[in-house]
Amino acid sequence: RKNLGVLVSGRGSNLQCIMDACAAGKIPARVAVVISDHSDAYALERARQAGIPALAVNMRDYPDKAGYELYIVEVLQKHGVHLVCLAGYMRLVGPTLLGAFAGRIMNIHPALLPSFPGLHAQEQAWRYGVKYSGCTVHFVDDGMDTGPIIMQAVVPVYDDDTVDMLTERILEQEHRIYPEAVKLYCEDKLIVEGRRVRVRV
Ligand code: GAR
């Protein structure tokens, strides 16, 4: 069983799905630690409810991003983390964290990458007027939402959708594909060949 470290900033619904899938034995892993960059993130509460170590690390308590990330790396290593899952973690991962967990950081993004990277992706897609959007699980590299794509799910955008309706439709799919991608990783079934990720059969 692998140890997961989950980085969050807010609500933590994706964290919840990953914790639940681990607890149900669907993913051969356990969430070993949850780290938030905001002390008031509801995700921390969810982790504590599940008896999982959860801590807030405030960037303002460190001289720079490298110092902040070095502390996060120490915590992740202390908990023997194999895979880092970003679950609504609203910061770019810097070289310190990336270097310590090269190829072992995953993210969920609420759009069909490479379209609409960055913040408010659902609203970006809605404003653009696309007829389909969705979500993407990908490995994290040094760009913004640019790493190798592991899994995607597509949802329709309807004429009378609001941003909130679209966001909710996408979130449903996030909750399905993020645990699935983490499962495949933990089963050592993800093969990365350059930009292309395939699933061992
Ligand atoms: C999710 O929709 C996730 O895809 C998005 O934030 C939300 C977090 O929800 N992530 C990003 O936009 C990353 N740039 P959650 O805290 O309930 O999982």
Side-chain angles (χ1 to χ4, degrees), residues 108-167:
I108 178 98
H109 182 76
L112 292 174
L113 292 172
S115 291
F116 313 116
L119 295 177
H120 311 298
Q122 305 96 327
E123 185 177 355
Q124 288 187 55
W126 183 86
R127 285 190 186 283
Y128 196 95
V130 295
K131 300 303 183 193
Y132 293 90
S133 190
C135 50
T136 304
V137 181
H138 63 94
F139 285 112
V140 173
D141 66 8
D142 59 3
M144 184 163 63
D145 303 319
T146 52
I149 291 172
I150 300 165
M151 201 174 278
Q152 294 184 303
V154 179
V155 307
V157 184
Y158 299 118
D159 292 351
D160 52 1
D161 267 351
T162 61
V163 175
D164 284 351
M165 289 161 73
L166 176 60
T167 297

Side-chain angles (χ1 to χ4, degrees), residues 1-197:
R1 286 205 318 166
K2 288 191 164 60
N3 289 326
L4 309 178
V6 184
L7 266 56
V8 297
S9 296
R11 176 180 59 184
S13 70
N14 279 286
L15 164 70
Q16 188 73 58
C17 289
I18 292 169
M19 290 191 303
D20 291 350
C22 289
K26 293 176 190 163
I27 301 176
R30 62 187 189 103
V31 178
V33 63
V34 173
I35 301 172
S36 173
D37 63 339
H38 288 100
S39 54
D40 56 356
Y42 182 59
L44 291 171
E45 186 62 32
R46 293 181 190 265
R48 289 174 188 138
Q49 291 280 348
I52 292 164
L55 68 147
V57 183
N58 193 331
M59 181 113 124
R60 276 149 291 272
D61 295 340
Y62 299 85
D64 52 21
K65 187 159 183 173
Y68 160 81
E69 287 197 339
L70 193 58
Y71 181 66
I72 290 177
V73 167
E74 281 170 17
V75 171
L76 294 169
Q77 287 173 345
K78 187 182 86 181
H79 286 89
V81 165
H82 300 103
L83 175 70
V84 178
C85 299
L86 310 185
Y89 178 68
M90 294 303 189
R91 281 180 197 281
L92 267 179
V93 172
T96 305
L97 179 52
L98 204 54
F101 287 90
R104 297 190 293 141
I105 308 177
M106 259 184 210
N107 181 44
I108 178 98
H109 182 76
L112 292 174
L113 292 172
S115 291
F116 313 116
L119 295 177
H120 311 298
Q122 305 96 327
E123 185 177 355
Q124 288 187 55
W126 183 86
R127 285 190 186 283
Y128 196 95
V130 295
K131 300 303 183 193
Y132 293 90
S133 190
C135 50
T136 304
V137 181
H138 63 94
F139 285 112
V140 173
D141 66 8
D142 59 3
M144 184 163 63
D145 303 319
T146 52
I149 291 172
I150 300 165
M151 201 174 278
Q152 294 184 303
V154 179
V155 307
V157 184
Y158 299 118
D159 292 351
D160 52 1
D161 267 351
T162 61
V163 175
D164 284 351
M165 289 161 73
L166 176 60
T167 297
E168 178 56 33
R169 195 173 303 126
I170 292 170
L171 189 64
E172 242 172 70
Q173 296 304 313
E174 295 184 42
H175 293 166
R176 186 175 64 79
I177 70 170
Y178 206 2
E180 185 60 28
V182 172
K183 172 183 194 276
L184 291 172
Y185 180 91
C186 291
E187 294 172 340
D188 295 316
K189 283 184 178 165
L190 295 182
I191 303 164
V192 184
E193 292 166 342
R195 278 214 57 88
R196 297 173 54 80
V197 181

